Amino acid sequence: MTAQPVALISAGASGIGLACARALTETGYRVLTLDIDAEAITRFQEEFGESSALVCDVSDASQVEAVFHSLVDPHQRVDLLFNNAGIAGPQQPVEDIGVAAWQSTIDIDLNSVFYLTRCVIPLMKSRRSGVILNMSSSAGRYGCPMRSPYVAAKWAAIGLAQTWAMELGPWNIRVNALCPGSVGGERIDRVIDCDADERGVTTDEIRRMYQRQSSLRDFVSPEDIAAMVCFLAGSGGRMISGQTLGIDGHTESLANWLDP
Ligand code: NAD
């Protein structure tokens, strides 16, 4: 009998990560997560099992090192690492962004990708098999005004996916970057509110502006992203590595359409 494959999702206790956890479970994965939100972790454990999740700030290298083995060692393998953790960061003109806000966005959106991947690679190399997905964003391909540290981190996630695809391909480890467009839900509602405040326009105007950014004129759903994750994790993704995959209804432009 083949042992159950294991997926580790960073920040998987809610949002997109949780939708991916549910979809991967349906395809037969045992799903594990590290998330900073203790209440969300408790709910995750109720749904996915006692040993499926631990509280961890994945932007803190020492916390990741301290909890990684407690979570993963009982399962002895990680078949899929989904570096999903990320925050929107400050939404301000670059000259107004404070150093602390810049640093914390880079710590969560970029440095956590490095911290987790370096823990997982030895396990994948020893089995000569694995899939790593870095969560980027349309903003990581096209740039996005008022979101400098987010763009810097998401652009880097693509560069790392391409670099690690080269470095790890000989071990049969595939690495790709995912670029969702704006995902419908509470998070984009917060981004829209903040953007509207900063620009002094209505939230409806900002919402329409965001929806016009994609050819399909709609927001992405977490389930759209989960479907891509499952595809790449499965045999259909066997020869897909080093790619930057849009799940975005075709982003036409993230340019600022409300110039002063
Ligand atoms: P979300 O705001 O819903 O947060 C998901 C989880 O992240 C939460 O459970 C939260 O507790 C956890 N988290 C936050 N900081 C953490 C930390 N330091 N350590 C551990 N866990 C932490 O996010 P989401 O909308 O599900 O986004 C997930 C990923 O998708 C992010 O990388 C985001 O940049 C990316 N993305 C989102 C959108 C979108 O529109 N929502 C679009 C493109 C890309």
Side-chain angles (χ1 to χ4, degrees):
M1 197 175 81
T2 321
Q4 189 177 22
V6 173
L8 173 59
I9 303 177
S10 67
S14 65
I16 296 166
L18 180 58
C20 294
R22 288 180 174 142
L24 285 164
T25 301
E26 273 178 30
T27 69
Y29 276 82
R30 176 92 173 89
V31 181
L32 312 176
T33 196
L34 296 170
D35 196 292
I36 200 169
D37 180 340
E39 285 178 17
I41 284 286
T42 302
R43 289 193 298 273
F44 193 94
Q45 287 169 329
E46 282 162 9
E47 184 170 345
F48 297 93
E50 186 85 12
S51 62
S52 64
L54 287 174
V55 176
C56 177
D57 177 353
V58 295
S59 72
D60 179 334
S62 55
Q63 278 192 44
V64 170
E65 287 197 12
V67 301
F68 177 81
H69 288 290
S70 323
L71 183 68
V72 167
D73 282 356
H75 307 280
Q76 296 177 332
R77 60 193 281 173
V78 174
D79 299 82
L80 168 68
L81 169 64
F82 183 18
N83 285 309
N84 164 68
I87 57 166
Q91 288 165 250
Q92 291 174 296
V94 61
E95 68 274 24
D96 293 343
I97 295 171
V99 171
W102 172 278
Q103 193 60 57
S104 67
T105 312
I106 296 293
D107 282 343
I108 297 170
D109 293 21
L110 174 57
N111 293 343
S112 73
V113 175
F114 168 61
Y115 300 151
L116 275 166
T117 305
R118 65 194 287 278
C119 289
V120 164
I121 285 173
L123 287 169
M124 290 184 171
K125 276 189 171 174
S126 70
R127 302 187 70 248
R128 295 193 79 86
S129 168
V131 176
I132 299 172
L133 301 175
N134 288 350
M135 182 61 113
S136 180
S137 161
S138 293
R141 288 213 280 191
Y142 302 104
C144 186
M146 321 276 274
R147 302 284 296 277
S148 290
Y150 183 77
V151 167
K154 296 303 186 184
W155 209 290
I158 293 173
L160 290 176
Q162 290 180 201
T163 299
W164 293 342
M166 294 174 199
E167 222 173 284
L168 301 171
W171 276 268
N172 189 33
I173 299 169
R174 299 186 279 114
V175 192
N176 292 290
L178 301 184
C179 293
S182 295
V183 175
E186 283 173 24
R187 178 187 163 115
I188 195 67
D189 292 345
R190 286 197 301 274
V191 172
I192 288 170
D193 286 349
C194 198
D195 206 351
D197 258 11
E198 180 67 32
R199 297 168 195 250
V201 299
T202 66
T203 52
D204 278 354
E205 277 176 274
I206 297 290
R207 184 174 298 279
R208 277 198 299 276
M209 180 186 89
Y210 281 25
Q211 286 178 332
R212 279 200 306 268
Q213 288 168 343
S214 103
S215 302
L216 293 179
R217 302 283 190 267
D218 199 1
F219 290 144
V220 178
S221 75
E223 289 70 28
D224 295 326
I225 299 163
M228 176 65 94
V229 168
C230 290
F231 175 75
L232 291 171
S235 57
R238 191 184 77 86
M239 287 301 286
I240 303 176
S241 195
Q243 302 303 308
T244 304
L245 298 145
I247 310 142
D248 62 348
H250 181 228
T251 302
E252 293 178 11
S253 163
L254 296 180
N256 187 339
W257 291 9
L258 294 174
D259 287 335

